[in-house]
Amino acid sequence: MSTFLELHPSIKSLPPQQTIKVREWVPLQSPAPSDSPTIKLMTWNMLAQTLVKRELFPSSDCLKASQRGGLLPREVLTYNPDIACLQEVDRLEKQLPIFRSAGYSHTYASGPQKLHGCMIIWKSDLFDKVAEQTIFYDEVDVNSVLYGDDGERPKRIASTRLTKNIGLILALARKGDKTKGCIVATTHTFWHPKFTYERARQIGILVNSVRRLQASDERYRCWPAYLAGDFNTQPTEASYSLLTAQPLTPAHLKSLSDSRVIHISLDPSVPPTPDVKEDEGSSAAPQAKGTAEKENDKENDKEKEKEETDPDRIITNSRRAVPSDDLLSDEELGRLYGFEAGKGLRSGYDEALRVASAGAKDNVFGGRVQDAMAGVWEPMYTSYTVFWKLTLDYIFILDAPGATIKTEILGVLKPHMKEDMEPGLPKAGICGSDHTSLMLELRHAG
């Protein structure tokens, strides 16, 4: 039912000894009529070589650039997407020639002085780029986002720390018919698990920017938008509920409140936390646990002792925010996303795996977090290592405001099975990154 299994011809040029495990493709609907265009959309955090450290990935057998060099493009070309949203992209001098020879155009962006960034690639024979926007989250004036550029309000960043994270948005028009196309956004938001507020702020800015671009042109009003990337957010977190317009729970509100802090990167007068060396991190967040995952009391005590001293698990080098810091309130965060209750973004994988799994929860988020209230059908894991096992990556759908037909999901790339990823990624013969790729085939009116 899909052309997905037609591997890209350029895959023959890659090192044959560097292989991945090819996952199952599940068609969900009948083939589209020839006059109804579809796209295959992928997202993948490639794990920047500059972030690779043996102590983070002690089990990996493919950490060197020479060992991963063929695995990274092979992952993309095996599944042959029309559009791919890539994060933690570096070594462009190696990556771009491969993608160009495979017929892809690209747009790359990164934060200031960052050695890796986000990149969107698309098949040059299918799309033309007609608009682009890079969002530097550290610099966005949220007053202009919330209230418009009326010039009457002072600039207000409302961030808790400098992170150098960005969002990248493109408008892609169909070749031969500029009235049809889609908006594609990718991001890699701040990774630290305890900085819930900062992550919610960054994601809200991205969503708001996409919605404003969609409303800025009559054509775009009929184009769907896809937000695909590493959101560093699990379905149990506040950002996921804000994205999908679900009610925030008391636990969400507490997490947001506890993370309204000001980091030393914004206020140099903050006393440094003794004996702490902060790291940029990859996706090195601790494993968030649901009720069903908790170990016995002894193991929990050990985990608590570790969490109390691990700078990757606690907020360090920061002070509590005060009213003059002018951070966003819970109500303002909700307005930043701008969704009516129950009418938020659609999660492509949450919808697709609900159908593809036929009710079985053995490889979805709800199978490991049995008290999950949202995102039950997301992949069980999208990042899997010895030290963290998390669901962080998504493909969200924002249907066109001017379209009468919703985007349809025609097929889904099934997640890796847990046993294939053991004891942790990256793993030769399986996947060259600590994250797994996601891909959907979509049909839309635009």
Side-chain angles (χ1 to χ4, degrees):
M1 292 185 180
S2 170
T3 58
F4 145 81
L5 288 177
E6 296 177 6
L7 305 184
H8 198 289
S10 294
I11 204 167
K12 296 176 182 177
S13 66
L14 301 177
Q17 70 276 16
Q18 294 187 14
T19 61
I20 64 169
K21 182 176 178 62
V22 180
R23 289 173 280 155
E24 181 185 359
W25 178 257
V26 181
L28 301 179
Q29 294 193 37
S30 301
S34 58
D35 62 346
S36 181
T38 70
I39 62 168
K40 290 173 291 183
L41 176 65
M42 169 185 279
T43 186
W44 189 35
N45 180 322
M46 302 177 80
L47 177 57
Q49 192 64 35
T50 189
L51 297 178
V52 170
K53 297 178 181 179
R54 171 55 66 183
E55 57 265 33
L56 286 178
F57 310 104
S59 68
S60 180
D61 54 2
C62 57
L63 288 185
K64 295 180 180 179
S66 59
Q67 297 170 319
R68 302 175 63 226
L71 293 175
L72 300 181
R74 182 175 291 276
E75 181 84 18
V76 177
L77 298 182
T78 292
Y79 300 118
N80 197 10
D82 300 319
I83 303 170
C85 296
L86 306 172
Q87 307 85 45
E88 286 193 24
V89 182
D90 64 356
R91 304 182 77 233
L92 292 176
E93 75 282 0
K94 301 292 185 182
Q95 306 281 2
L96 288 182
I98 296 172
F99 291 132
R100 284 176 182 144
S101 66
Y104 288 97
S105 297
H106 81 284
T107 294
Y108 172 89
S110 64
Q113 290 83 52
K114 227 172 183 183
L115 299 178
H116 59 88
C118 295
M119 184 165 72
I120 298 176
I121 64 173
W122 64 93
K123 287 186 175 177
S124 307
D125 63 343
L126 294 181
F127 297 100
D128 287 317
K129 180 174 67 175
V130 293
E132 71 174 270
Q133 179 184 1
T134 300
I135 305 166
F136 297 94
Y137 295 129
D138 291 340
E139 303 172 7
V140 174
D141 177 6
V142 293
N143 272 345
S144 68
V145 174
L146 288 171
Y147 305 107
D149 299 310
D150 56 14
E152 297 180 2
R153 297 173 186 270
K155 187 173 183 179
R156 179 189 183 196
I157 305 298
S159 65
T160 56
R161 61 178 293 160
L162 295 178
T163 71
K164 303 180 183 179
N165 291 92
I166 65 163
L168 177 62
I169 309 172
L170 302 184
L172 299 175
R174 284 274 177 183
K175 284 276 189 182
D177 187 351
K178 301 293 187 185
T179 66
K180 297 184 181 296
C182 61
I183 294 170
V184 181
T186 192
T187 192
H188 185 202
T189 62
F190 187 54
W191 68 272
H192 197 295
K194 294 298 184 181
F195 277 81
T196 308
Y197 166 89
E198 186 58 39
R199 199 157 36 250
R201 171 188 165 275
Q202 292 181 358
I203 296 172
I205 289 170
L206 179 71
V207 170
N208 193 286
S209 300
V210 169
R211 288 164 63 100
R212 290 205 289 176
L213 178 60
Q214 218 175 20
S216 69
D217 188 292
E218 199 59 37
R219 287 180 303 169
Y220 305 161
R221 286 185 52 78
C222 296
W223 293 5
Y226 306 118
L227 291 77
D230 178 0
F231 290 79
N232 269 318
T233 293
Q234 296 217 89
T236 50
E237 296 179 36
S239 295
Y240 189 93
S241 289
L242 287 166
L243 280 162
T244 55
Q246 303 299 314
L248 294 180
T249 67
H252 291 150
L253 297 175
K254 182 178 187 304
S255 178
L256 289 168
S257 176
D258 290 347
S259 59
R260 283 188 174 92
V261 300
I262 300 298
H263 186 259
I264 195 172
S265 58
L266 292 180
D267 181 358
S269 70
V270 172
T273 305
D275 303 319
V276 166
K277 180 182 177 182
E278 292 189 339
D279 195 0
E280 177 186 346
S282 173
S283 295
Q287 181 175 358
K289 293 181 172 66
T291 301
E293 291 184 289
K294 292 182 180 177
E295 305 292 340
N296 58 48
D297 291 342
K298 183 177 180 181
E299 290 301 314
N300 282 338
D301 289 343
K302 289 180 180 179
E303 183 71 15
K304 183 177 180 181
E305 290 174 8
K306 181 178 180 181
E307 182 167 332
E308 289 173 349
T309 59
D310 186 347
D312 287 353
R313 299 181 178 219
I314 59 174
I315 292 178
T316 59
N317 295 326
S318 303
R319 63 167 173 80
R320 292 295 306 168
V322 295
S324 60
D325 293 315
D326 209 11
L327 299 187
L328 294 167
S329 66
D330 295 333
E331 186 269 337
E332 287 177 312
L333 272 176
R335 285 170 52 203
L336 194 61
Y337 288 75
F339 297 125
E340 297 178 29
K343 295 183 180 180
L345 297 181
R346 299 164 54 200
S347 170
Y349 260 73
D350 194 45
E351 290 186 18
L353 292 184
R354 182 189 301 269
V355 177
S357 300
K361 295 184 179 179
D362 55 342
N363 199 30
V364 297
F365 187 75
R368 71 174 174 94
V369 183
Q370 295 180 7
D371 55 358
M373 302 296 290
V376 171
W377 299 98
E378 300 287 0
M380 180 174 282
Y381 303 106
T382 65
S383 184
Y384 196 94
T385 74
V386 170
F387 295 120
W388 64 88
K389 300 169 177 61
L390 303 162
T391 302
L392 304 173
D393 306 84
Y394 306 91
I395 298 176
F396 291 108
I397 302 167
L398 178 59
D399 287 306
T404 57
I405 302 175
K406 287 187 175 182
T407 298
E408 299 175 274
I409 303 174
L410 303 183
V412 59
L413 180 63
K414 293 193 74 173
H416 278 295
M417 298 300 293
K418 178 180 177 180
E419 51 266 30
D420 291 331
M421 297 185 287
E422 289 285 5
L425 301 176
K427 183 177 178 181
I430 303 295
C431 179
S433 172
D434 60 326
H435 286 247
T436 63
S437 63
L438 306 178
M439 193 170 83
L440 298 171
E441 186 169 27
L442 305 159
R443 175 170 56 200
H444 56 87

